[in-house]
Amino acid sequence: MTHTPSAPHSVAPGHISVPVTPDALPALRRRVQAGLIATQILGGLGIAIGFALAAVLARDVSGTEALSGLASTASVAGSALVAVPLATLMTRRGRRAGLVLAYLLAAVGAGVVVLGAVLGNFPLLLAGLVGFGAGSSANLAARFAAADLAEPDRRARAISTVVWATTIGAVLGPNVAAPAGKSVSGLGIPAAAGPFVWAAGVFVLAAAVVAVLLRPDPLLTARALDAGAGGAPEGRSLRAGMEAVRRSPRARIALVTIAGAHTAMVSIMSMTPVALTHHGAGIQLVGLVISGHITGMYAFSPLMGWLSDRLGRLAVIGLAVGLIGTAALVAGTAGASHGRTALGLFILGLGWSAALVSGSALLTDSVPQAARAAVQGLSDFVMNTAAGLGGLAAGLIVAKAGYGPLNAIAACLLLPMAALALRGAVRKA
């Protein structure tokens, strides 16, 4: 596709025009990416601060370990509930409007979590965690914002750079959970709820950064540059997104990969703090193990992006299957060995990173530009719904059978991923 350098392009009627010429596009890509990196750092920090002790807080407030898995379930359910409305809003108003709203919802949710903890009200705590999940929706949606303006052969690397930025805040988050807990001593707030006080403030700051820095909006700009930007509005509906996935076998591979890997990761990670405390681990050790896991999730994403662009999306999906399977074996057989558990969680993070980056790039590659925002929202809805159910089952499995069987069951989720990726590779060959 070619564009006349002197002719600016504008988005659909009803939106602010975004004058862009091909010569200005590289600088625009860098500016948008810088804004996304800043928000990912803050968003990652807010999510990780709260999530580090969410299962422990749920156990303390509910009074039973069997319900501790509901903490991750509620948070992931919130991400799922927000995903489709968020995609709809972004489709109509652009990435910036959606991200600002999602971060503000997360801040409100964190405040409700604190209130539920203070009152000892478990349903209220879960309601807050549902709102808190909007922060994850925002951070997940940001990876697709990075792909909006990227060149096709560098799309995975663009996604991975933004995913990588989450490392800074996400690794720091669990390690400040203990200081956050101490900071509320004397205020009548349980120590395990202290991290959510800090998370609320961080999410408000993230929303402010998005509002200021994410200009011009990458999705609206991408549409302005696309020859079909003036196409029928129904091409951008959720129904059109579902139809685009139905028509594309590779989009279905991507959807199953993202959902399967995320569900396996959430199921194992959410119950690891509980398993560690069973074997005498304290809050600081739990924080270190989760930090190592999050390092695996985000720090190596540029490598996964480079591999996805160089070797192909399906090859890296195969790598993800191998890594997550290995992680389940190592963590599931760790027993009282905190070191083995930490190693398993680190490998689990690597596998999730490989699946998310390659799957997201494959999904974006496989559908028309007009349907991408809807398809991406559908993807986040499916992955978070599946992971929410996985988190719910994880608590029950650990309570009834143990942490080892949980890992074995999570590994079984890899089978559809592996089968579809292998079939896709054979077809391509």
Side-chain angles (χ1 to χ4, degrees), residues 102-179:
Y103 282 129
L104 291 178
L105 285 174
V108 172
V112 174
V113 168
V114 175
L115 181 61
V118 171
L119 299 177
N121 188 316
F122 189 59
L124 186 61
L125 178 79
L126 293 180
L129 286 167
V130 170
F132 183 80
S136 294
S137 291
N139 266 33
L140 288 170
R143 77 190 191 277
F144 289 123
D148 286 334
L149 296 173
E151 298 167 304
D153 62 348
R154 297 185 63 87
R155 189 168 283 147
R157 276 169 280 188
I159 291 171
S160 67
T161 299
V162 172
V163 172
W164 171 85
T166 310
T167 308
I168 300 172
V171 172
L172 179 62
N175 290 295
V176 301

Side-chain angles (χ1 to χ4, degrees), residues 15-328:
H15 294 300
I16 299 173
S17 294
V18 183
V20 176
T21 64
D23 291 341
L25 194 54
L28 176 57
R29 288 191 183 110
R30 291 191 295 269
R31 187 161 62 250
V32 168
Q33 189 173 68
L36 291 170
I37 287 172
T39 59
Q40 285 293 93
I41 292 172
L42 291 169
L45 176 60
I47 294 165
I49 289 175
F51 199 73
L53 296 179
V56 175
L57 180 61
R59 181 193 62 189
D60 293 345
V61 174
S62 68
T64 174
E65 190 171 281
L67 296 179
S68 59
L70 286 177
S72 66
T73 299
S75 180
V76 174
S79 297
L81 289 171
V82 169
V84 172
L86 186 61
T88 301
L89 177 60
M90 288 182 177
T91 296
R92 295 174 179 173
R93 304 296 301 173
R95 302 288 187 191
R96 188 162 58 93
L99 292 176
V100 167
L101 178 61
Y103 282 129
L104 291 178
L105 285 174
V108 172
V112 174
V113 168
V114 175
L115 181 61
V118 171
L119 299 177
N121 188 316
F122 189 59
L124 186 61
L125 178 79
L126 293 180
L129 286 167
V130 170
F132 183 80
S136 294
S137 291
N139 266 33
L140 288 170
R143 77 190 191 277
F144 289 123
D148 286 334
L149 296 173
E151 298 167 304
D153 62 348
R154 297 185 63 87
R155 189 168 283 147
R157 276 169 280 188
I159 291 171
S160 67
T161 299
V162 172
V163 172
W164 171 85
T166 310
T167 308
I168 300 172
V171 172
L172 179 62
N175 290 295
V176 301
K182 293 178 181 177
S183 71
V184 298
S185 62
L187 299 178
I189 299 174
F196 287 94
V197 176
W198 287 29
V202 171
F203 283 136
V204 170
L205 181 58
V209 170
V210 170
V212 173
L213 295 184
L214 209 63
R215 296 172 182 270
D217 189 280
L219 178 59
L220 301 185
T221 303
R223 287 182 183 163
L225 292 170
D226 188 80
E234 59 268 20
R236 299 173 189 163
S237 68
L238 181 60
R239 180 176 298 178
M242 295 174 68
E243 179 63 19
V245 171
R246 189 188 68 80
R247 291 179 178 178
S248 172
R250 288 170 68 84
R252 293 197 295 273
I253 294 172
L255 203 62
V256 170
T257 294
I258 294 170
H262 192 60
T263 302
M265 184 276 290
V266 169
S267 299
I268 295 172
M269 183 191 73
S270 64
M271 296 312 298
T272 297
V274 175
L276 286 169
T277 56
H278 272 168
H279 296 289
I283 290 179
Q284 290 186 332
L285 179 58
V286 170
L288 287 173
V289 171
I290 297 301
S291 289
H293 168 68
I294 294 173
T295 299
M297 288 175 67
Y298 299 114
F300 296 88
S301 57
L303 173 62
M304 303 306 177
W306 182 82
L307 290 173
S308 294
D309 284 336
R310 293 296 298 271
L311 303 181
R313 320 307 194 205
L314 296 177
V316 179
I317 289 173
L319 174 63
V321 171
L323 288 169
I324 297 173
T326 300

